[in-house]
């Protein structure tokens, strides 16, 4: 589907209640290949700048208001009046912002290893500097440098235990990116410019599930903050997993998601 000149790729799998799935930074919809959800229609979206979706050279389409508007038009065009959202990392931040923007349409939110944005202005400014540095490094050094740099972050240390073929697929998805698209994503919707949604969380009307790995200390703490802000949020910690829970522990992740969706269907 093409929206305001930007082509979006989305794959629809299965039948039943709709779950729109949003991947993380430098990933694409292929990251969900091991997520098996019975009696569910999964809409696997390649976010702008990723996968088979458009990779505009201009920065403006990567801003959050444009991303949310395009995503809303995409889902509406697929004929989904009511649906749930699943987002991992960057995709989770976008899902959270989407839920705040379109609360009457979103039945439930599933946030995997996701933040709500940086509230402290000094920290936001520092993150903008870091994102700008990384964006320029990607442009200067290229995708192979980025793939090595990104996989070496402590956040992804637990992925070294994954089977070789899965690690190869992760690397291939990272290598499939374009430098300008990753740079624009960092500058247009990275954490340094992403709005802090902390104040919106208590008022969100839909059920929310927050999933994180036992070994992901940063997002374990963020998960607790979500619960403090909204006691109705359910938090699930999956043992033996790090940041990317759905790849590291797919069976446990799928079971938790299935139970949540089942409860949404039968309140």
């Amino acid at each position: 589907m093409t929206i305001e000149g930007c082509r979006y790729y989305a794959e629809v799998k299965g039948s039943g209640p709709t779950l729109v799935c949003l991947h993380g930074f430098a990933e694409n919809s292929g990251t969900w290949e091991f997520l098996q959800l019975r009696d569910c229609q999964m809409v696997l979206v390649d976010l702008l700048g990723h996968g088979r979706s458009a990779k505009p050279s201009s920065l403006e389409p990567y801003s959050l208001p444009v991303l949310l508007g395009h995503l809303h038009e995409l889902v509406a065009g697929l004929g989904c009046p009511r649906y749930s959202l699943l987002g991992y990392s960057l995709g989770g931040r976008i899902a959270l912002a989407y839920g705040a923007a379109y609360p009457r349409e979103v039945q439930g939110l599933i946030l995997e290893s996701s933040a709500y944005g940086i509230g402290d202005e000094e920290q936001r400014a520092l993150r903008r500097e870091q994102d700008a540095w990384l964006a320029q490094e990607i442009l200067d050094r290229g995708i192979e440098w980025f793939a090595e740099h990104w996989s070496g972050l402590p956040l992804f240390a637990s992925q070294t235990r994954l089977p070789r073929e899965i690690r190869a697929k992760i690397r291939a998805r990272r290598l499939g990116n374009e430098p300008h698209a990753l740079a624009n994503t960092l500058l247009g919707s990275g954490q340094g410019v992403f709005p802090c949604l902390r104040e919106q969380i208590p008022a969100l009307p839909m059920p929310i599930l927050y999933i994180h790995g036992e070994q992901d200390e940063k997002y374990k703490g963020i998960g607790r903050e979500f619960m403090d802000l909204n006691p109705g949020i359910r938090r699930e910690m999956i043992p033996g997993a790090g940041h990317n829970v759905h790849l590291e522990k797919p069976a446990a992740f799928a079971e938790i998601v299935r139970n949540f969706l089942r409860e949404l269907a039968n309140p």
Side-chain angles (χ1 to χ4, degrees), residues 38-254:
R38 298 182 299 273
D39 303 321
C40 175
Q41 177 179 264
M42 298 174 64
V43 178
L44 311 179
V45 178
D46 281 346
L47 294 170
L48 191 74
H50 295 75
R52 283 173 273 187
S53 288
K55 300 173 177 63
S57 56
S58 61
L59 182 60
E60 197 267 341
Y62 296 85
S63 67
L64 183 62
V66 175
L67 290 177
L68 294 181
H70 285 188
L71 183 59
H72 184 251
E73 189 168 339
L74 173 66
V75 176
L78 293 172
C80 306
R82 291 271 286 167
Y83 43 90
S84 297
L85 292 178
L86 162 60
Y88 160 65
S89 199
L90 166 66
R93 284 191 283 116
I94 293 174
L96 179 64
Y98 188 100
Y102 304 102
R104 294 184 180 180
E105 298 177 19
V106 178
Q107 290 180 299
L109 280 178
I110 305 171
L111 308 176
E112 176 192 357
S113 307
S114 303
Y116 52 72
I118 302 171
D120 182 84
E121 285 304 321
E122 289 187 6
Q123 292 182 11
R124 281 172 61 84
L126 177 60
R127 185 56 186 258
R128 282 196 297 274
E129 291 179 6
Q130 294 170 341
D131 287 347
W133 172 85
L134 180 56
Q136 193 60 51
E137 290 292 294
I138 295 171
L139 292 172
D140 292 343
R141 299 195 183 197
I143 287 298
E144 289 198 10
W145 172 87
F146 166 76
E148 292 297 325
H149 169 79
W150 201 245
S151 63
L153 294 178
L155 193 65
F156 302 117
S158 56
Q159 291 186 8
T160 59
R161 300 192 300 268
L162 289 169
R164 182 179 301 175
E165 61 270 21
I166 295 179
R167 285 186 280 120
K169 288 184 176 183
I170 295 172
R171 176 174 171 77
R173 288 195 292 269
R174 289 172 179 162
L175 288 173
N177 287 287
E178 295 289 340
H180 77 275
L182 292 187
N184 281 344
T185 300
L186 288 166
L187 298 175
S189 47
Q191 293 211 50
V193 296
F194 201 90
C196 180
L197 302 174
R198 179 185 177 92
E199 300 302 320
Q200 283 94 314
I201 292 172
L204 290 174
M206 73 287 294
I208 301 172
L209 169 64
Y210 191 96
I211 304 175
H212 65 84
E214 176 188 26
Q215 299 170 358
D216 189 350
E217 292 296 331
K218 176 180 178 179
Y219 286 88
K220 184 187 299 184
I222 292 174
R224 294 193 191 102
E225 292 177 16
F226 267 88
M227 291 185 65
D228 290 340
L229 291 167
N230 186 336
I233 293 176
R234 180 189 305 178
R235 181 170 69 97
E236 294 282 354
M237 181 177 71
I238 296 185
H243 187 62
N244 194 328
V245 187
H246 71 268
L247 279 179
E248 297 178 40
K249 297 292 180 181
F253 184 89

